[in-house]
């Protein structure tokens, strides 16, 4: 291990991530683990410098107080407890420790070295992956999103050709997105990449389906089916790589915290396709994942891209998807992104995209009446996507985008700007 480690044991605190981040800000690597981790498991972390028993309001599960394994006290490792009255630690805090107290514990009592940086993190993870995987193969669904791209780059560094990436193009990707995944991973990083163009298959399944939830379900389940078919064609795969990051674990529920939403990247794979998971990013926060991607040499655009929903442009081509409107969403989105990049708005605005509703309006082109679609532009800012405010885009920029959309995108005669905050509107339209 390159870096010293402080372990936070989750005994029902809602502050685990706050403490983990505070410790990382001191330059020391920290990991959060469930309360029932065993002394032997902890002993396997060779640079373990200290343990924080982190109790809190969720300490009672099903009427029972959660406890740590008693032999953890015999590890001889410096320990403090927070909001965990029955702990046998000498240092007990009934409120969060102050920054100074935490710093004192980490740097003085634990004598931890401030050697947490992405270079060391990557070296440690590469070592862990090699130990876990040996000479076996790992399969990875590579969507081209930030998390799967970073995990792919990490696995390529660790095990090279033992990694098999599958990129499924569901036909709802943004302009040139699949091409860029192939270019970066196959041509530049020399990954073993299987590209599956399943566009026709997805569009066929979605034909005539207008209910948003139904559309999402079809896209999600079809994705798993295509991935499963590819997995079955391959032989000798024992592991599945996953771009799980720390917020996914929290949202899916821990042993003490309730589920917010399920993360089902692989949940849908059939029972007989059994893989052991390789999840090298699962202790990282989103900004750290991006920093890791940069350190691994991924292009800036790929690592700092804005959030993009799994069902892709499918939820921005409103109602039943038609090819002409899907093309209008794809082309107008490309124009919007190009123009935002020219003015630097791409670095300022959290999320921006276009949608095309499923109705037409009257207009006039070349002195003749036309009956065509409308493009709606949406640009929002948010911290956590729970609430959002609109970006007050400069009028000149909006005019230029509008002019380009009206001249370059077929079947469109009208452009609108969405002024609605969240709530009451959501960020996406479907
Ligand atoms: P809403 O529309 O709920 O969106 O305000 C909040 C954020 O989540 C993104 N989003 C998704 N991301 N799969 C994803 O990975 C999805 O199905 C999905 N639906 C919405 C949305 O783009 C916004 O950033």
């Amino acid at each position: 291990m390159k870096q010293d480690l402080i372990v936070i044991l989750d005994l029902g605190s809602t502050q685990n991530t706050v403490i983990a981040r505070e410790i990382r800000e001191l330059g020391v690597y920290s990991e959060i683990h469930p309360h029932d981790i065993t002394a032997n498991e902890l002993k396997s972390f060779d640079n373990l410098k200290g343990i924080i028993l982190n109790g809190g309001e969720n300490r009672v599960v099903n009427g029972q107080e959660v406890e740590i394994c008693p032999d953890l006290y015999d590890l001889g490792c410096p320990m403090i407890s927070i909001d965990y009255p029955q702990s046998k630690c000498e240092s007990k805090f009934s409120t969060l420790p102050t920054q100074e107290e935490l710093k004192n514990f980490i740097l003085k009592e634990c004598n931890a070295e401030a050697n947490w940086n992405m270079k060391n993190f990557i070296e440690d993870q590469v070592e862990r992956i090699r130990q876990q995987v040996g000479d076996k193969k790992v399969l990875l669904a590579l969507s081209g999103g930030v998390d799967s791209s970073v995990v792919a780059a990490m696995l390529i560094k660790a095990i090279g050709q033992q990694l098999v990436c599958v990129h499924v193009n569901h036909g709802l990707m943004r302009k040139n997105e699949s091409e860029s995944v192939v270019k970066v991973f196959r041509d530049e990083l020399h990954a073993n990449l299987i590209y599956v163009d399943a566009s026709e298959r997805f569009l066929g399944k979605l034909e005539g389906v207008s209910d948003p939830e139904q559309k999402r379900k079809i896209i999600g389940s079809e994705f798993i089916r295509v991935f499963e078919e590819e997995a079955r064609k391959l032989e000798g795969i024992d592991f599945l790589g996953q771009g799980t990051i720390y917020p996914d674990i929290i949202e899916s529920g821990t042993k003490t915290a309730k589920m917010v939403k399920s993360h089902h990247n692989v949940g849908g794979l059939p029972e007989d396709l059994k893989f052991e998971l390789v999840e090298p990013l699962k202790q990282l926060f989103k900004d750290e994942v991006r920093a890791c991607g940069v350190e691994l040499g991924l292009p800036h655009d790929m690592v700092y891209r804005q959030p993009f929903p799994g069902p892709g442009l499918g939820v921005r081509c409103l109602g039943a998807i038609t090819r002409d409107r899907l093309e209008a969403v794809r082309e107008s989105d490309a124009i919007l992104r190009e123009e935002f990049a020219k003015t630097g708005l791409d670095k300022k605005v959290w999320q921006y995209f276009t949608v095309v509703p499923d109705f037409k309006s009257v207009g006039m082109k070349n002195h003749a009446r036309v009956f065509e679609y409308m493009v709606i532009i949406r640009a929002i800012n948010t911290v956590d996507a729970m609430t959002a405010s609109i970006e007050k885009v400069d009028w000149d920029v909006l005019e230029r985008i509008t002019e380009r959309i009206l001249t370059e995108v077929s079947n469109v005669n009208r452009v609108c700007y969405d002024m609605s905050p969240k709530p009451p509107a959501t960020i996406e339209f479907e």
Side-chain angles (χ1 to χ4, degrees):
M1 280 280 276
K2 284 270 168 198
Q3 1 175 60
D4 286 351
L5 171 67
I6 301 290
V7 163
I8 298 162
L9 293 191
D10 173 11
L11 283 140
S13 173
T14 52
Q15 303 291 318
N16 293 312
T17 54
V18 175
I19 295 179
R21 292 215 67 136
E22 267 192 48
I23 298 172
R24 290 186 195 184
E25 270 155 33
L26 294 171
V28 178
Y29 182 53
S30 61
E31 287 189 353
I32 304 161
H33 288 276
H35 65 274
D36 54 0
I37 192 166
T38 63
N40 276 342
E41 283 172 293
L42 282 173
K43 275 186 205 156
S44 71
F45 303 141
D46 33 333
N47 275 20
L48 178 64
K49 292 288 179 172
I51 300 172
I52 297 178
L53 308 180
N54 200 21
E57 58 196 67
N58 299 327
R59 205 171 55 247
V60 179
V61 175
N62 298 331
Q64 287 244 308
E65 293 239 1
V66 297
E67 297 273 5
I68 61 161
C69 304
D71 50 358
L72 261 53
Y73 293 110
D74 304 329
L75 279 171
C77 197
M79 242 185 211
I80 54 168
S81 68
I82 301 167
D83 204 358
Y84 179 39
Q86 60 270 63
S87 108
K88 296 184 204 150
C89 294
E90 279 178 22
S91 303
K92 293 188 190 186
F93 295 90
S94 51
T95 57
L96 284 180
T98 64
Q99 266 185 336
E100 209 39 51
E101 285 165 333
L102 196 62
K103 190 173 167 184
N104 191 48
F105 172 66
I106 304 294
L107 300 180
K108 296 221 173 97
E109 271 186 65
C110 301
N111 201 17
E113 212 181 302
N115 56 5
W116 148 247
N117 59 46
M118 271 310 150
K119 198 164 170 289
N120 286 343
F121 175 80
I122 290 167
E123 278 190 41
D124 281 350
Q125 289 303 323
V126 162
E127 192 47 42
R128 280 195 197 182
I129 292 167
R130 285 180 184 156
Q131 274 177 15
Q132 185 187 2
V133 171
D135 59 1
K136 301 278 181 6
K137 286 186 179 165
V138 180
L139 180 66
L140 175 74
L142 175 58
S143 68
V146 179
D147 304 340
S148 72
S149 297
V150 175
V151 104
M154 178 85 93
L155 285 164
I156 291 166
K157 188 175 168 79
I159 54 165
Q161 294 297 303
Q162 287 164 253
L163 172 70
V164 183
C165 300
V166 175
H167 175 70
V168 177
N169 179 354
H170 51 26
L172 306 164
M173 306 292 276
R174 290 182 294 194
K175 195 172 178 178
N176 295 330
E177 206 164 21
S178 283
E179 290 81 350
S180 133
V181 170
V182 173
K183 180 172 168 288
V184 169
F185 286 97
R186 187 184 282 165
D187 303 347
E188 293 169 17
L189 297 177
H190 309 294
N192 194 351
L193 171 69
I194 298 169
Y195 170 70
V196 188
D197 183 355
S199 313
E200 287 305 318
R201 180 171 166 167
F202 275 81
L203 292 183
K205 290 268 174 194
L206 287 163
E207 205 173 318
V209 181
S210 57
D211 177 65
E213 272 310 303
Q214 195 60 20
K215 284 166 71 177
R216 278 172 182 271
K217 277 198 189 120
I218 290 172
I219 297 167
S221 58
E222 202 56 20
F223 187 88
I224 288 167
R225 221 162 285 151
V226 174
F227 186 68
E228 182 201 333
E229 283 172 20
E230 291 305 317
R232 285 193 193 282
K233 287 185 207 158
L234 300 164
E235 295 204 340
I237 305 247
D238 292 283
F239 295 90
L240 190 70
Q242 267 206 275
T244 316
I245 70 171
Y246 195 66
D248 299 340
I249 294 180
I250 302 180
E251 288 183 350
S252 302
T254 62
K255 285 182 180 160
T256 57
K258 292 197 183 64
M259 184 177 91
V260 179
K261 63 178 175 187
S262 60
H263 283 260
H264 44 76
N265 319 23
V266 288
L269 284 182
E271 277 286 300
D272 66 318
L273 269 182
K274 279 210 174 70
F275 297 111
E276 189 181 319
L277 295 182
V278 183
E279 299 175 293
L281 309 180
K282 71 175 177 198
Q283 289 283 345
L284 295 189
F285 297 98
K286 193 74 179 190
D287 55 326
E288 295 170 339
V289 173
R290 294 189 207 276
C292 184
V294 170
E295 184 67 35
L296 285 162
L298 288 178
H300 187 276
D301 286 0
M302 191 166 249
V303 169
Y304 281 90
R305 49 183 258 153
Q306 51 168 324
F308 187 59
L313 301 181
V315 291
R316 295 177 182 171
C317 182
L318 306 187
I321 297 170
T322 56
R323 284 164 201 264
D324 56 351
R325 284 191 304 113
L326 184 58
E327 203 47 29
V329 180
R330 187 174 282 127
E331 291 300 322
S332 56
D333 171 76
I335 292 171
L336 179 73
R337 286 190 290 133
E338 228 177 275
E339 292 300 323
F340 266 38
K342 277 187 202 162
T343 52
L345 278 171
D346 59 332
K347 296 191 180 58
K348 177 173 179 254
V349 182
W350 200 83
Q351 196 172 10
Y352 47 97
F353 54 88
T354 60
V355 301
V356 175
D358 55 351
F359 59 84
K360 293 180 174 178
S361 71
V362 175
M364 213 161 65
K365 281 185 180 171
N366 301 323
H367 309 289
R369 179 189 186 276
V370 287
F371 193 46
E372 291 182 327
Y373 297 118
M374 165 193 296
V375 167
I376 301 172
I377 298 170
R378 183 141 175 80
I380 60 95
N381 290 307
T382 175
V383 175
D384 54 9
M386 303 299 284
T387 61
S389 58
I390 59 144
E391 169 72 17
K392 292 178 184 161
V393 181
D394 184 81
W395 200 256
D396 291 342
V397 176
L398 281 179
E399 271 186 345
R400 200 160 48 243
I401 295 167
T402 302
E403 192 186 315
R404 280 196 62 190
I405 291 174
L406 291 178
T407 48
E408 294 173 35
V409 182
S410 309
N411 305 310
V412 172
N413 64 354
R414 204 176 285 269
V415 177
C416 296
Y417 188 73
D418 184 354
M419 297 290 288
S420 333
K422 173 181 180 175
T426 50
I427 296 174
E428 304 286 347
F429 278 54
E430 287 193 338

